[in-house]
Amino acid sequence: MTADHQHTMRAKIELLLQRDAEEELDRRQEEDDEFSEIYDDGRLRLPAGVELPEELPAGLRVLYALTAHPQFGDLRFGSHHDFRPQRLIDFAGKVIDAGNTLTIGRVREQSIVLDLDTEAVFIFDFLYFRHGLDSGFVLRCDSVAEFISTVALGPRYPYIHGPHETWREPWWLTDPWYIYLKELGFA
């Protein structure tokens, strides 16, 4: 299954690069006043790729070979120099034993975390109790490639900020990145 997700991730990113998607979304932002009022930054960034150390999971290495520290809508991946060990805590401040974890990005105030032992990737919300969630684990995938192909570039993007029931307004319906994913047939 991981090979399929890696193939899908690669194909989707290559299509975005071929279509100059970064420039297209920047153009849309400049032309649409409502877009620029809601989002003060671009919705897609695909910097030139870099080579990562062999000890990091294959899916992360493939992603960063295609594009170093990308941004997909609200998902912002950090520079590989900024990857840091991450201790997860519950509402009482107790450390959750979640394995050997590394923060690799952000989703607003939430962290994108990689479990180096299992290669699972998840979004963790340290303020989950304030957001009405039962757990800080907002969304989980078995690999980086699955996370990119099904969440960042796929139909699970609307769940990056938690279950739909926790939102009064369906923010994803007006998110230019999600709209673009739907136009491309990714979502």
Side-chain angles (χ1 to χ4, degrees):
M1 190 71 151
T2 299
D4 290 340
H5 285 300
Q6 280 190 27
H7 173 75
T8 302
M9 174 181 69
R10 180 183 300 277
K12 286 180 174 183
I13 291 172
E14 288 173 352
L15 180 66
L16 291 171
L17 291 168
Q18 289 168 2
R19 289 183 168 226
D20 294 323
E22 190 174 337
E23 291 80 13
E24 172 61 17
L25 285 170
D26 286 346
R27 183 193 61 75
R28 290 179 185 194
Q29 182 172 359
E30 289 174 13
E31 292 177 359
D32 187 337
D33 291 337
E34 188 175 323
F35 184 125
S36 55
E37 283 177 24
I38 298 171
Y39 301 99
D40 60 356
D41 62 345
R43 303 301 291 154
L44 176 66
R45 294 292 173 249
L46 299 170
V50 297
E51 190 173 320
L52 294 182
E54 284 293 318
E55 63 268 10
L56 292 171
L60 187 64
R61 291 193 323 267
V62 170
L63 172 64
Y64 275 65
L66 293 165
T67 176
H69 60 87
Q71 175 188 347
F72 304 105
D74 285 345
L75 300 166
R76 294 172 180 263
F77 290 82
S79 164
H80 65 287
H81 299 294
D82 296 331
F83 293 170
R84 298 284 181 259
Q86 180 70 63
R87 295 185 66 132
L88 307 179
I89 56 173
D90 67 12
F91 70 95
K94 293 183 182 176
V95 174
I96 299 169
D97 182 19
N100 184 15
T101 56
L102 193 67
T103 295
I104 59 172
R106 313 264 326 137
V107 184
R108 294 188 189 157
E109 72 276 352
Q110 304 168 64
S111 295
I112 302 172
V113 181
L114 169 66
D115 183 329
L116 292 168
D117 297 328
T118 65
E119 298 189 14
V121 176
F122 50 89
I123 296 173
F124 191 83
D125 185 349
F126 285 93
L127 299 176
Y128 66 92
F129 48 92
R130 287 190 187 164
H131 299 138
L133 301 174
D134 295 332
S135 164
F137 296 93
V138 175
L139 188 142
R140 182 185 185 285
C141 292
D142 290 336
S143 69
V144 171
E146 178 185 356
F147 187 84
I148 298 301
S149 66
T150 67
V151 178
L153 300 173
R156 295 177 64 196
Y157 180 80
Y159 296 93
I160 63 172
H161 297 298
H164 288 173
E165 308 80 65
T166 62
W167 292 92
R168 236 178 285 172
E169 296 290 325
W171 62 268
W172 55 94
L173 296 178
T174 58
D175 183 319
W177 176 242
Y178 185 63
I179 291 167
Y180 194 62
L181 288 176
K182 288 174 63 176
E183 285 176 23
L184 294 172
F186 290 180

